[in-house]
Every structure is written in C-alpha cells, then in structure tokens.
Amino acid sequence: MAQDLVDLSSEYQFWMRKLSMWDQASTLETQQDTCVHLPQFQAFLSQMYEALKEMDSNAVIERFPTIGQLLAKICWNPFILAYDESQKILIWCLCCLIKKEPLNSGESKLNSWIRSLLSHILSAFRFDVKEVGLFCQGLGYAPADYYPGLLKNMVSSLVSELRENHLNGFNTQRRMAPERVTSLSRVCVALVTLPDFEPLVEALLTYHGHEPQEVLWPGFFEAVNEAILLKKISLPTLAVVCLWLRHLPSLEKATLHLFEKLISSERNCLQRIECFIKDSLLPQAACHPAIFRIVDEMFRCALLETDGAPEVLAALQVFTRCFVEALEKENKQLKFALKTYFPYASTSLVMALLQNPKDIPQGLWHQPLKRISEMLRETVEGQTARSHRVAFESWFLFIHFGGWADIVAEQLLMSEAEPPEALLWLLAFSSNPHDGSQQRAQTMVEVKVVLGRLVKLFRTPTLSGQDLQAAASESREADPRPLVCQQLIRLLLLSFLLWAPGGHSIAREVITFMAQTEEITHEIIGFLDQTLYRWDQLCIEAPRPRKVARDLLTELLAQVEHSPVDHVAAVQGRSGSPRPQDECHEFVQ
C-alpha cells in the first residue's frame, strides 16, 4: 500500500502539471493533448479514488495538500467530464472528501465547496456562455430546453457536412478539408460513448474522402473499438465493418476479445458460444472477404497454438455456421466469389461443404459425404511434394463445416451395408490430418473391425457393458492402439449408446467406465453438447436419444462442477504437449 501511494504521488505531480497546461481545453493544441491522454488520465483518477476511499479526509489533505486544486481543475475540463466514466469517478473522489459530521466552520466550508463542485459537474453540459444565455432569454427558451437542441443541431450539421463531402467527390469548393476531418475525429475521442454523438461517430467511420492516406486519427478508431467491445456504444453493422476495414489493429483486438470470452466462458456450451459469437458482430462483418480472411487466419493460429484443442475447433465450427447464415441473409446473390473467402480450395469442394445437411433428406446424407471424401482424398493423397501442408489446409477447410464433420460416425453406424471406404477415410482424416496414407489406412482397418462388431449389436434389444467391451477390445497380440484410434472408437461407442435401442439402458454404466480421466470426461461432455447442438440446428427428431444425451450431459456437468479445472490453462497449455494416453479403460485399448 505504501509503495502504491509513492507511485501515485509521482503520477499526481505529473497530472497536476498537465491540468494546469490544459487550462479548460481552450486551444486546439491543448484539446488534442487532452484527447491523447484521456484513457491514461481516467486510469489515474481510478487509482486516486481507490486511495482516497481508504483514507480519512485529514490524511488525504496531509498526503495531497493540493487535492482540491486538482479536482477543481478536472471539474472545469469538459473533455475529461465527457470521457467514458471519468465524470462518475470524479464524483466518487469528491464524495470521499466530504465530512459526514463537520467539527468546525472550516470543515463545513469544505463540504459546501465540494457540493458546489458536484452541482457544477451534474450540470456541466449546459454550455453556460453569457452571450448564449442572453440570446436564449430573448427567444423565450429555458436553458434546459435550448442546449440539448443546440447540441443535436450541431451534430446533425456535422453529419450532413460529412455526407455531402462524400457525395461531392472532387468538387473541392464544397469539400471538408482533410485537416478538419482529422481534427474532428480527434475531438470525438472524448465523446464516443455519449449517445448524442453516435450519429457523428457513425458518419466519421463511413466517411470516405479521396485522400491517398487515412484521414481519421488512429486514436479515434481505438476509442470507438474499445467502446464497442465494452458495449458502451451501439453502431450499425456497416459502421463497424468500416472501422475494422480501415483499422486492422481494431479487428485483431475484437477477434482476440472474442477468443478471451470463449475461453473464459462455461466450457462445452455451444449455445452460449453461439451467443458470444453473434454478439461480437464478427460473423456479419466477415461477409466482407478481407475481414473473413483475417479472422479465419487468427482461428488457424489458435488451432496451431493449442494443438487442435476441441474448444477452439468447436468455436470455429460455430463461427463458420454463423458466418454462412449471415452470408445467406446479406447476399441472395453473392457479392464476392467463394474463391475470395477460400482462395486455396477448389470451388466444387467449397460448394459441397456449404450445403446445409438440413436441406438434404437424412437418408441421402451419405452421398454428399462420399463426394466430399473423394475430393479431399484426391487433394491430400494425390500430392507427393508439400503433402503435410496440403493435408493440413484440406483438413482446416473441412473442419470449418461441423455439420458434415460430426455426422460421419452416425452414418457409418446406422448403415447395415458394408462400411463405405470413403466414409472410413473421412472419419480417419478428420481426426488427424498429420497421419500419412499408410497410418491412415491402418486406422481405417482398426475402426472397420470395431464398427462391424457394433453394427451387429445395433439391433440387439438387450445389451450389457461386457458386450460393448468385447466389441471395442483389440487382439492381445496387437500393439496398443494409437491415441487417434482410441478417440475414434470412443466416438463410435458414444454414438452407438445414443442411437442403438439397447444402448440407452447401459449408457450410464458404460460412460462411467469410460470417463476415468478429466480429459476423457471433458471429451464426452463436448461430444454430448455438440451432438445436441447439431440436432437442434438440423431439426433432427430423435426424442429418446435426445433425452439420453441430455440426461448424461447434465450428470457429467454436475460431476465436473464438484471438481472444477482451470480450462483456460488447459486450453492454453496444450501447445506442444501430447494428449494423455487412455491407460485407464479397457473399452478402447
């Protein structure tokens, strides 16, 4: 605490000098300097309040003898009062100095003086200029009626001037000078959170002059973006798109802000993830290819950094679904070719993936899946040079579209015919793009054996846990299954428990045996949540499987709540670490 006060005293002297220089922000230079320092000054004011509320007024005066001068100077600076929460914090600071029970006339005068400052702050935007006041009286207006109208007209006039400037094009006689636009954007930094100024902020963001360089001040973009992220301002989507197109750091910060919310939110809840993603406006803004490509690249980096964390995969799939939905709403006919969104993929593959499974009869889903598999396999295994790069890019494209990626196992289980090689390949490829063709073929053989056993059990009305254990077991002479193969077999088992009539009664028993580690427990929770989310999106009628999945999900979530794990650290810590082996469970070894 003592060190904090020493640091605060040093900052106090700095800001005291600044306030004296600003002198009510009366010149253009001081206005610009004020705007530059507003965020840092508000942070200082917050620190000052935290110190004041822990001290009595006598200690405050002793520690900061000129505190009254500092607060008074702030009270007469309209830029500071207009910025974000500075006015509110200033009021808190003043309240800390009030003596609840004044002991002498000096303390009573201090209270009276503080109340006068508070009164001034609460009426600070009356624009008390003598000449204007006399003019108002001559017109018969009361200040309370006149000044809001004056402010509204001023904003409206500036908005009209900016829009005319855009329409006038090269008519230089009627154009607003670039320097004035820059200056206006600097002044607005302190005002972006005020509702009356939203039309002006929007007009500045959508303003397009004919200058070769950006005329809006970078600090203006940063202030608006911060206000949007903190929900202190609401702007039309077009204005937000203009902001992110004109200022790349703001787009990157908005995307990182979304990532932070997704990681810190409740794990394995896709409905909540969808709300966060839609609320971010990024899917709507991504209808512009330049924004989509940047956000997509940041998802790619997140996947690589977290070693393909399921949480990041799920977020990418939900984002893509929201993006496609926004694209369909905005573009009945695409404004941009699909190639501009996915420049490294074949258009025919992108078109196949963009099909919504909901628009195709469920009994025919295997047909588009087969075509998708054949196109991906030709791309991945038809290359010798750069094969790992090509495989990753193809996998990254495929996993965007979770609607197709998640139904492969269900299609294999519910087909009574010989498992199509195309779907087996797609299942193996979707789980690990880094495997070579030989490793992938071995995984397909292992999965096909287990799949054959499960298909034979699918119509059996009465099952036991031992039946599934036998179906999932491997030969004692064989080497232990690779981790990827173990995960795929767990996926088949979970799908079997939901869809096989005999699986419902033993689902709880089997999952209890499967969930022997935290990693596998979260994997199962993720599968159940993602399955329910997908069924909702595709309007799949499956009352009994849906009830089983929901009951199991509720029980597992309650179990996890009693042994919480810092999933932020879990997601961030995956990079470079192999996934733990499933040494606890006989079902998938």
Side-chain angles (χ1 to χ4, degrees):
M1 179 66 183
Q3 184 59 45
D4 291 342
L5 284 175
V6 171
D7 295 339
L8 187 60
S9 297
S10 176
E11 284 197 55
Y12 180 95
Q13 298 303 325
F14 170 80
W15 290 115
M16 191 67 179
R17 290 192 297 271
K18 274 288 182 188
L19 286 165
S20 299
M21 289 169 54
W22 290 342
D23 190 28
Q24 301 184 33
S26 57
T27 67
L28 177 60
E29 289 74 16
T30 53
Q31 289 174 6
Q32 291 175 346
D33 191 54
T34 305
C35 291
V36 169
H37 290 89
L38 283 173
Q40 299 98 303
F41 183 78
Q42 180 170 286
F44 159 74
L45 203 56
S46 296
Q47 291 176 332
M48 178 61 70
Y49 167 66
E50 292 300 323
L52 294 180
K53 71 179 182 180
E54 299 297 331
M55 305 164 67
D56 62 42
S57 57
N58 291 331
V60 170
I61 299 299
E62 182 180 347
R63 185 77 189 187
F64 305 105
T66 58
I67 185 70
Q69 295 177 41
L70 180 129
L71 295 178
K73 287 178 181 292
I74 300 172
C75 289
W76 290 97
N77 191 308
F79 280 74
I80 296 176
L81 294 181
Y83 181 73
D84 199 25
E85 297 185 338
S86 295
Q87 186 185 64
K88 177 175 68 177
I89 301 170
L90 174 60
I91 292 173
W92 292 345
C93 290
L94 287 169
C95 289
C96 289
L97 301 181
I98 293 179
K99 286 278 191 178
K100 293 182 180 178
E101 297 180 1
L103 301 177
N104 52 54
S105 60
E107 292 182 354
S108 298
K109 287 180 180 179
L110 176 63
N111 282 358
S112 177
W113 178 74
I114 292 172
R115 289 193 183 95
S116 69
L117 289 179
L118 290 170
S119 176
H120 166 72
I121 293 171
L122 297 174
S123 59
F125 291 99
R126 291 181 302 163
F127 299 96
D128 285 330
V129 180
K130 182 179 178 181
E131 291 78 7
V132 176
L134 293 172
F135 180 67
C136 291
Q137 292 177 8
L139 293 176
Y141 286 111
D145 298 325
Y146 179 79
Y147 291 112
L150 177 64
L151 176 60
K152 184 177 179 180
N153 289 340
M154 180 188 71
V155 170
S156 177
S157 176
L158 288 169
V159 169
S160 299
E161 193 172 353
L162 284 166
R163 288 175 179 166
E164 286 175 10
N165 196 61
H166 174 60
L167 295 174
N168 288 333
F170 291 100
N171 183 355
T172 56
Q173 291 183 342
R174 298 186 61 189
R175 285 175 57 200
M176 184 184 288
E179 297 78 11
R180 188 173 176 218
V181 177
T182 304
S183 178
L184 185 59
S185 66
R186 295 187 76 156
V187 169
C188 278
V189 168
L191 309 170
V192 294
T193 58
L194 299 180
D196 289 332
F197 283 86
E198 282 187 15
L200 181 56
V201 172
E202 179 187 349
L204 283 167
L205 290 174
T206 55
Y207 163 82
H208 292 284
H210 299 275
E211 297 76 18
Q213 295 180 335
E214 179 60 68
V215 295
L216 299 184
W217 190 48
F220 170 73
F221 290 125
E222 293 166 4
V224 175
N225 193 59
E226 188 72 15
I228 291 171
L229 298 183
L230 297 178
K231 302 300 178 188
K232 294 183 177 181
I233 185 174
S234 178
L235 294 174
T237 303
L238 176 60
V240 179
V241 171
C242 288
L243 164 66
W244 290 338
L245 283 173
R246 297 175 73 164
H247 194 246
L248 179 59
S250 289
L251 173 58
E252 292 174 339
K253 186 172 183 179
T255 308
L256 290 174
H257 182 76
L258 173 62
F259 285 175
E260 290 169 3
K261 289 183 72 173
L262 296 180
I263 292 174
S264 61
S265 68
E266 182 180 340
R267 191 175 185 176
N268 301 119
C269 183
L270 294 188
Q271 291 288 356
R272 181 171 296 186
I273 286 175
E274 180 180 331
C275 290
F276 284 146
I277 288 175
K278 286 185 173 179
D279 191 50
S280 73
L281 293 181
L282 284 167
Q284 300 91 313
C287 290
H288 194 291
I291 292 178
F292 175 83
R293 296 279 303 281
I294 290 170
V295 176
D296 199 50
E297 185 62 27
M298 293 182 74
F299 267 112
R300 180 202 305 270
C301 293
L303 277 172
L304 292 171
E305 286 292 325
T306 60
D307 195 26
E311 295 86 353
V312 181
L313 275 172
L316 172 60
Q317 291 175 355
V318 175
F319 173 82
T320 305
R321 196 191 70 77
C322 294
F323 156 70
V324 172
E325 185 180 286
L327 201 62
E328 290 172 349
K329 284 181 181 178
E330 183 171 302
N331 306 316
K332 299 302 179 184
Q333 294 182 336
L334 282 175
K335 294 179 183 177
F336 304 98
L338 286 174
K339 200 72 175 172
T340 58
Y341 297 98
F342 303 99
Y344 305 112
S346 71
T347 304
S348 56
L349 176 57
V350 175
M351 289 296 293
L353 290 170
L354 277 171
Q355 292 180 99
N356 192 337
K358 185 179 177 181
D359 299 330
I360 302 171
Q362 194 169 345
L364 301 178
W365 281 354
H366 65 282
Q367 295 179 2
L369 281 171
K370 186 178 178 182
R371 288 197 302 274
I372 290 168
S373 176
E374 289 169 350
M375 285 187 279
L376 283 170
R377 192 169 189 176
E378 181 181 354
T379 302
V380 172
E381 297 187 351
Q383 298 276 344
T384 52
R386 300 182 296 110
S387 57
H388 287 293
R389 171 75 183 209
V390 171
F392 177 80
E393 293 298 334
S394 300
W395 172 83
F396 184 61
L397 173 66
F398 178 61
I399 55 96
H400 277 72
F401 301 92
W404 291 118
D406 295 339
I407 62 177
V408 181
E410 289 179 3
Q411 286 295 296
L412 285 167
L413 269 174
M414 292 189 285
S415 173
E416 296 181 357
E418 182 76 6
E421 185 178 353
L423 296 194
L424 286 170
W425 184 91
L426 191 57
L427 185 66
F429 175 69
S430 66
S431 63
N432 189 357
H434 302 299
D435 282 348
S437 56
Q438 188 173 354
Q439 293 170 296
R440 198 172 294 118
Q442 181 59 38
T443 299
M444 290 166 63
V445 170
E446 292 268 7
V447 169
K448 186 175 181 180
V449 171
V450 175
L451 184 63
R453 297 170 186 166
L454 291 176
V455 169
K456 288 179 181 178
L457 295 174
F458 198 82
R459 304 297 175 191
T460 305
T462 305
L463 292 170
S464 67
Q466 287 74 20
D467 293 328
L468 285 192
Q469 181 179 337
S473 64
E474 59 182 323
S475 170
R476 295 188 179 277
E477 293 78 21
D479 294 331
R481 285 171 176 149
L483 296 179
V484 172
C485 198
Q486 292 180 30
Q487 287 179 319
L488 287 177
I489 291 172
R490 280 198 295 271
L491 175 63
L492 291 173
L493 288 171
L494 292 169
S495 297
F496 180 91
L497 292 173
L498 295 184
W499 286 106
H504 299 164
S505 59
I506 61 170
R508 186 174 286 101
E509 172 195 351
V510 172
I511 285 180
T512 299
F513 280 108
M514 289 175 68
Q516 294 294 316
T517 67
E518 290 176 350
E519 178 98 5
I520 295 176
T521 301
H522 283 296
E523 179 186 317
I524 296 170
I525 290 173
F527 166 83
L528 293 170
D529 182 62
Q530 198 154 340
T531 299
L532 289 167
Y533 177 80
R534 174 167 50 85
W535 288 352
D536 287 339
Q537 301 304 318
L538 301 180
C539 301
I540 291 178
E541 295 293 335
R544 182 60 180 159
R546 186 184 291 270
K547 184 179 186 307
V548 172
R550 198 171 297 283
D551 290 346
L552 290 170
L553 179 61
T554 302
E555 291 179 16
L556 286 173
L557 286 173
Q559 176 184 322
V560 168
E561 283 178 5
H562 288 91
S563 57
V565 179
D566 183 358
H567 76 274
V568 176
V571 172
Q572 294 174 341
R574 279 198 182 94
S575 180
S577 304
R579 297 184 187 279
Q581 293 211 14
D582 179 12
E583 298 176 347
C584 306
H585 178 47
E586 298 177 357
F587 272 75
V588 292
Q589 287 188 344

